[in-house]
Amino acid sequence: MDGVWKVPRRLPVVPLPAPGEAFPSWLHRVAADWQIPPGRAAQLLGLECIPGYRVPRPIWFGVSLTQRSLHNLVTATGLDERALGAMQLSRYADTVLELFDRELPDQSREVTSLRRPRREWALTTASRACPSCLATSLVWPVWWRLGIAAVCPKHRVLLVDVCSRCNGRLGSGYTGNPRGLTARQPMLDLSLCNNRRAASQGRKAGPCRQRLSTLSTVAVSVELGALQQRVLDIADGASVRLAGVPVTQAEFFAALRFIAGVVRLVATEEEAASCTALPDTVGAVFTADQPEWRQVRKGGLGNRLQACPPSAAHAASVLALSTPVLFAPDRRMFQDRLTMWMDRAASLGRLAGQGDPLRFLPRPACLEQFLHAAGVLSSRPRIKPAFTADHLPHLVDAGDYAELIARHLPRTAETGGRRLAALALARHAGAESWLHAATALGMNPVTAARATNTLEPRISNVSAFWRDVERLGTRIIERGLIDYAARRRALADLTTVPHDVLLAVCQPRGYSVTMQRRRQGAAWIWQQFTGGNVREAPAYAPALWAPADMASVYSHGRRFAAWLPAPVARALTAYGNSLLADSLPQGGVA
């Protein structure tokens, strides 16, 4: 096996991780101690890697450990699971980060899944660094990889993001495109940048030789260093209050992310310049980027407002400018500053004719009462209705949609709008996000995401939209609740209607009974009883129609629905009722 064991055995000498050290830092120190390339060390330690690459690429390297990697590391090193887990970004999963999809079943969690990689406040493929720290120790702390990492509290300097020689983000391995751990190159000098650079005019390919300890830094105030330490202490579990009330660490950082989005939108150049905690050059970086944060293009504002701070300077600005709210000593001061910012955001929206510019930001439950007091209505109705997501179709009634919801969604196809309205009803019923709403409805998450990402930005008056969603929910209750989820389960295998069902009504009228009509009839029944998009009916599974073109199949389906004589429709309805009567109490009525 060329010296690589299928099951790692206990290695004789393994350097211990330093307190707070990041896993990539420890692995590189292990490789240096053994005088081998880091990729070779990863193989000897038994890290599970992505197959198909010439160089080892450990799965979720530095983010989390798969069960296989964890077992092999414990076996090979003798370190316990707690020490190994403390080196991963996942140590912050219950405080700073919303990193992991906790809805995955246990058997699928062997490879951890990132929930929101683009909006997560973490550097998963790079790190910031303090050159002064690296001058005395080659240990890279794991907190340097957090989005809130801004300054070194010990040396009171701004952390460095990018190598001045290769222009690559520190710790990314390969400039602009991290490609794993080399297993062939000689042992790396850990005091150097080591980002691999491509060959260019007058320069050979190879690791960057920039000495990390000589990278230039920007001095910061004692106040900013203390603020950074305070936030890091909360990330590590220290108690914290918001508006004078104790909150969990996760609630604090959820509030921080929301308030940071507000700051990005409403903070003025004068506020950044007058902030005593910020050096002039740092505040200038923030205000220079601010016009881009305020742009609204294809609904991208929400993503920008939620995004991880792109640099240490930006992170420092966000922390310093958010402090008056985050660490307000009492409710009154907290409420006054938050209300001022929300009024300013509303003014910006009115001037641009864009509605509420903060409607894309997830609003933490711990801030709901303060936002309500500031005159900001919740992103969805606060009182849960008497129905659940099980009582909702995937497409709301066409008449209800035209009367109540269509005006909020200009330039929107009816099917997409009816789907978004169903998702909104699921949120009204208690789902905390659009993704949770899709899950509660049993809706294809890709289809749901396409609807929400495209259509939600078109809603100009968010409060009016949710009022009409509430009215829509009232109509559903008044008509009598139907268990659509049970109906979808009962009809999940309905791909054809029995030949005899159609023959009895078609033959006397001279209509032939074909396999195509039997499938179209099954799709019609599914649509009538589940309220779903007929294209998603089990009878329209592409495998049943191969090699026919599905566009043609759908076209014939529309003709079938337009042709359907009343006696045939009654026969299909009766057959559908018989299927529900066999599998559901009361025919699926709740």
Side-chain angles (χ1 to χ4, degrees):
M1 291 294 294
D2 191 25
V4 180
W5 304 300
K6 289 185 177 179
V7 179
R9 56 194 178 195
R10 181 66 181 270
L11 299 169
V13 178
V14 179
L16 293 175
E21 184 172 14
F23 187 72
S25 169
W26 175 76
L27 178 68
H28 281 80
R29 288 200 303 112
V30 169
D33 185 74
W34 292 347
Q35 298 187 6
I36 59 175
R40 185 65 172 154
Q43 292 172 328
L44 292 174
L45 290 168
L47 292 182
E48 184 177 6
C49 297
I50 303 174
Y53 290 91
R54 290 185 299 174
V55 296
R57 295 187 63 173
I59 297 174
W60 300 125
F61 184 49
V63 177
S64 184
L65 293 172
T66 67
Q67 290 299 316
R68 179 179 169 187
S69 290
L70 182 59
H71 175 268
N72 289 346
L73 281 166
V74 170
T75 303
T77 66
L79 297 173
D80 59 32
E81 294 185 4
R82 183 176 179 180
L84 293 166
M87 292 189 282
Q88 316 300 323
L89 275 171
S90 56
R91 67 179 286 179
Y92 296 111
D94 294 320
T95 56
V96 183
L97 306 178
E98 293 182 317
L99 198 60
F100 302 108
D101 187 350
R102 300 188 177 281
E103 296 180 353
L104 291 176
D106 290 342
Q107 61 267 26
S108 66
R109 284 183 61 84
E110 182 172 326
V111 177
T112 305
S113 173
L114 284 179
R115 178 162 48 187
R116 303 188 311 165
R118 293 185 179 180
R119 290 181 289 179
E120 192 58 73
W121 280 34
L123 310 177
T124 58
T125 58
S127 178
R128 293 171 186 151
C130 170
S132 299
C133 288
L134 294 177
T136 58
S137 171
L138 297 178
V139 170
W140 294 56
V142 66
W143 74 265
W144 283 354
R145 305 184 73 198
L146 293 174
I148 59 168
V151 304
C152 174
K154 179 180 179 180
H155 298 103
R156 295 202 296 274
V157 295
L158 193 71
L159 297 182
V160 178
D161 295 275
V162 176
C163 173
S164 57
R165 177 177 291 192
C166 68
N167 293 321
R169 295 187 71 86
L170 296 179
S172 62
Y174 287 73
T175 301
N177 183 23
R179 291 185 294 175
L181 304 170
T182 178
R184 296 182 179 180
Q185 288 183 338
M187 181 186 69
L188 299 176
D189 183 347
L190 300 187
S191 66
L192 305 179
C193 169
N194 289 322
N195 281 344
R196 182 170 177 81
R197 302 182 300 174
S200 63
Q201 188 175 16
R203 184 183 71 191
K204 295 182 179 180
C208 175
R209 308 301 293 175
Q210 171 66 44
R211 189 162 295 278
L212 296 169
S213 61
T214 61
L215 290 171
S216 60
T217 59
V218 176
V220 301
S221 64
V222 175
E223 180 183 357
L224 190 56
L227 173 61
Q228 178 73 86
Q229 188 59 60
R230 186 175 184 181
V231 172
L232 292 177
D233 290 342
I234 297 170
D236 285 328
S239 60
V240 60
R241 289 174 173 266
L242 204 61
V245 177
V247 295
T248 67
Q249 291 79 19
E251 288 174 326
F252 173 83
F253 283 106
L256 169 58
R257 287 188 292 271
F258 176 82
I259 292 171
V262 177
V263 165
R264 285 167 169 168
L265 185 71
V266 307
T268 65
E269 185 174 348
E270 292 76 15
E271 286 173 329
S274 62
C275 182
T276 57
L278 288 178
D280 292 341
T281 53
V282 173
V285 170
F286 175 81
T287 53
D289 291 340
Q290 203 169 31
E292 181 181 348
W293 295 97
R294 290 179 175 174
Q295 289 178 10
V296 180
R297 229 186 256 121
K298 299 181 180 179
L301 177 63
N303 288 332
R304 283 193 289 273
L305 293 182
Q306 296 177 61
C308 175
S311 67
H314 193 104
S317 300
V318 164
L319 287 177
L321 293 171
S322 300
T323 294
V325 169
L326 281 175
F327 296 110
D330 55 50
R331 181 188 180 99
R332 180 178 177 180
M333 293 186 66
F334 183 97
Q335 186 71 69
D336 288 348
R337 179 57 68 100
L338 184 62
T339 300
M340 181 187 72
W341 283 352
M342 300 309 292
D343 288 346
R344 199 182 296 176
S347 298
L348 287 172
R350 285 193 296 270
L351 288 174
Q354 296 161 350
D356 180 10
L358 298 174
R359 63 186 181 273
F360 307 102
L361 278 178
R363 293 173 181 173
C366 61
L367 293 184
E368 198 65 63
Q369 59 177 313
F370 301 103
L371 293 172
H372 188 72
V376 181
L377 293 180
S378 173
S379 58
R380 57 184 173 85
R382 301 181 70 186
I383 301 176
K384 292 183 181 179
F387 60 83
T388 69
D390 287 348
H391 299 112
L392 301 175
H394 284 184
L395 304 179
V396 302
D397 179 79
D400 290 342
Y401 170 75
E403 185 177 346
L404 296 175
I405 306 299
R407 65 189 181 92
H408 298 291
L409 298 170
R411 309 179 309 281
T412 298
E414 181 183 286
T415 299
R418 291 169 64 194
R419 186 185 301 278
L420 181 69
L423 288 163
L425 282 170
R427 292 203 65 185
H428 178 27
E432 291 297 327
S433 67
W434 294 113
L435 176 60
H436 290 160
T439 302
L441 286 170
M443 191 182 291
N444 184 318
V446 175
T447 303
R450 188 179 300 122
T452 56
N453 292 343
T454 303
L455 301 182
E456 187 189 12
R458 299 180 186 177
I459 302 171
S460 59
N461 190 329
V462 177
S463 300
F465 170 78
W466 285 111
R467 283 195 295 269
D468 283 335
V469 168
E470 192 168 3
R471 293 171 61 194
L472 184 60
T474 301
R475 292 189 180 187
I476 289 176
I477 295 171
E478 291 173 347
R479 291 170 184 157
L481 298 181
I482 297 173
D483 193 341
Y484 283 103
R487 289 185 173 192
R488 286 189 287 268
R489 291 192 296 269
L491 302 179
D493 297 323
L494 180 61
T495 57
T496 57
V497 173
H499 185 274
D500 293 344
V501 171
L502 286 179
L503 185 66
V505 290
C506 287
Q507 190 177 48
R509 294 166 178 78
Y511 304 136
S512 59
V513 179
T514 64
M515 177 57 73
Q516 180 175 340
R517 277 186 175 164
R518 291 171 61 194
R519 289 175 179 165
Q520 290 167 339
W524 185 87
I525 291 173
W526 183 89
Q527 181 188 36
Q528 295 299 308
F529 283 91
T530 68
N533 184 349
V534 70
R535 294 190 176 194
E536 297 169 7
Y540 279 146
L544 296 176
W545 297 86
D549 177 63
M550 290 308 296
S552 175
V553 171
Y554 297 144
S555 176
H556 284 293
R558 289 192 295 272
R559 294 177 189 173
F560 173 85
W563 160 82
L564 194 63
V568 179
R570 285 194 295 270
L572 291 175
T573 301
Y575 178 65
N577 277 320
S578 70
L579 292 177
L580 295 182
D582 290 340
S583 58
L584 301 178
Q586 303 177 32
V589 178

